[in-house]
Amino acid sequence: MATTERRPILLDFEKPLAELEARIHQIRELAEENDVDVSDQIRQLEARALQLRQEIFSSLSPAQRLQVARHPRRPSTLDYIQAISDEWMELHGDRGGTDDPALVGGVARFAGRPVVILGHQKGRDTKDNVARNFGQAAPGGYRKAMRLMEHADRFGMPILTFINTPGAWAGLDAERFGQGEAIAYNLREMFRLDVPIICTVIGEGGSGGALGIGVGDRLLMFEHSVYYVASPEACASILWRDASKAPQAAEALKITAWDLKSLGILDQLLPEPIGGAHSSPLEAAATLKQALLQHLEDLSQMTNQQRRELRYQKFRNIGVFLEATA
């Protein structure tokens, strides 16, 4: 069967880098055709390309980080599950008649230990995104997640959640079937679970859609992930009635991992490969696995009561601040 090479998906700020890499490729081809040795020049240009990539990705604005977080080829929940788990069995259904493909979960073996893993799942292309509802979970998805978490609690299995959604599904049927109740129920019930819970934002963490599986003992975020109460586009439309001011809103909302780290909300910021997690998914997965192992080890040393109390205090402390006066 013939295979076709996937064309790279370029973000606006990556175009200068892409032009330089295309030039390197062109020079290499011409040199091979004419049997000319240009290895020194190629090495210099490749070094420049690496330097340019580092410069670009080390100084991204919040709006640009949002673009990286939404990259179509950014690793998804199922990608990370396959990369970090030894065994994986997906479980379906909320036992209420639905099985939401936008939120997946199941039982896995992680470093030899049984765990329950669940998370939002976006698609790779338009057809897949439509099938997955663009990672926007319905009420049944959150009820399925809670069923799996109760299963984990019953059998003493730690819970790992991967957050990647622009928000919960906001359709009429979502409201009809109790979207707000489903998310609120999860928020309440996750506080009482005895087992360790580690939540990781792997892409977008949008509003209540993210919080529905986001109450845990530890919150991790990849370097170019974002977490927000409302998308910058929605915020700009509400405040200024002008969606073009989304970059300004992104700056004001403090949505980046660096912002959340400085605010004391984030427990660990996970570095990404230069160029974003999509540029080297296996490297990103190795970073995630190492962090999860460390936090799981720390949490396993605590009693159930200690974990519940720390979890409660963690969220009670969010939003507490002091005002400095002259």
Side-chain angles (χ1 to χ4, degrees), residues 1-315:
M1 182 183 293
T3 58
T4 57
E5 186 179 352
R6 291 194 309 175
R7 295 181 62 185
I9 299 174
L10 292 177
L11 303 175
D12 291 341
F13 54 84
E14 291 181 300
K15 289 179 180 177
L17 177 63
E19 290 171 2
L20 178 56
E21 290 177 338
R23 212 168 98 208
I24 294 171
H25 181 69
Q26 186 179 27
I27 291 171
R28 185 180 282 114
E29 284 189 336
L30 288 172
E32 289 175 356
E33 289 175 4
N34 296 283
D35 197 21
V36 178
D37 182 14
V38 292
S39 54
D40 289 340
Q41 293 88 334
I42 292 291
R43 276 195 295 270
Q44 289 175 6
L45 288 172
E46 287 177 338
R48 172 57 188 149
L50 178 60
Q51 181 185 6
L52 181 59
R53 184 179 292 273
Q54 290 172 330
E55 290 172 356
I56 289 172
F57 281 88
S58 64
S59 59
L60 296 179
S61 69
Q64 289 171 330
R65 290 190 192 278
L66 179 61
Q67 290 182 60
V68 179
R70 291 172 172 171
H71 197 287
R73 290 182 184 155
R74 192 168 177 84
S76 68
T77 290
L78 289 176
D79 292 330
Y80 282 122
I81 289 173
Q82 293 296 332
I84 69 173
S85 63
D86 305 320
E87 297 178 53
W88 159 250
M89 178 181 293
E90 185 174 352
L91 301 177
H92 297 273
D94 66 345
R95 297 301 183 264
T98 66
D99 179 35
D100 186 4
L103 207 158
V104 299
V107 180
R109 192 171 295 278
F110 178 63
R113 180 173 184 171
V115 298
V116 163
I117 307 179
L118 52 98
H120 303 100
Q121 180 65 29
K122 293 182 179 181
R124 281 285 178 231
D125 51 34
T126 302
K127 182 179 178 181
D128 195 17
N129 260 318
V130 169
R132 297 281 182 182
N133 200 27
F134 296 85
Q136 299 172 99
Y142 291 104
R143 293 183 179 118
K144 173 171 69 173
M146 195 67 244
R147 178 179 76 82
L148 296 179
M149 288 189 279
E150 287 173 343
H151 177 85
D153 195 55
R154 187 177 303 117
F155 292 99
M157 294 185 286
I159 299 167
L160 310 178
T161 76
F162 297 148
I163 297 167
N164 187 20
T165 179
W169 181 35
L172 289 175
D173 282 341
E175 295 303 312
R176 185 178 295 118
F177 294 122
Q179 184 70 285
E181 184 275 338
I183 292 173
Y185 183 84
N186 283 20
L187 295 179
R188 185 188 71 186
E189 294 301 301
M190 288 183 79
F191 277 107
R192 70 162 178 81
L193 299 178
D194 288 330
V195 294
I197 306 173
I198 305 174
C199 307
T200 306
V201 183
I202 60 173
E204 285 185 275
S207 192
L211 285 175
I213 58 169
V215 176
D217 306 300
R218 297 283 190 273
L219 176 63
L220 318 182
M221 276 183 75
F222 272 106
E223 179 181 357
H224 300 309
S225 292
V226 294
Y227 209 170
Y228 49 73
V229 67
S231 70
E233 295 87 352
C235 178
S237 297
I238 293 168
L239 293 183
W240 297 292
R241 300 186 184 279
D242 184 359
S244 67
K245 291 189 176 180
Q248 183 178 341
E251 188 75 38
L253 283 168
K254 304 298 181 187
I255 63 175
T256 72
W258 305 96
D259 293 323
L260 270 70
K261 183 69 174 176
S262 67
L263 291 169
I265 298 171
L266 184 62
D267 293 295
Q268 185 176 354
L269 187 154
L270 305 177
E272 296 190 24
I274 300 172
H278 60 278
S279 67
S280 183
L282 291 179
E283 185 181 339
T287 299
L288 174 61
K289 184 175 183 177
Q290 185 59 41
L292 291 174
L293 285 171
Q294 183 60 58
H295 286 286
L296 196 54
E297 178 65 25
D298 293 343
L299 291 168
S300 297
Q301 305 303 315
M302 302 178 191
T303 65
N304 295 345
Q305 184 177 352
Q306 286 174 329
R307 279 195 300 269
R308 288 197 307 270
E309 180 61 25
L310 286 173
R311 193 182 305 158
Y312 174 77
Q313 292 301 331
K314 173 181 174 63
F315 281 84

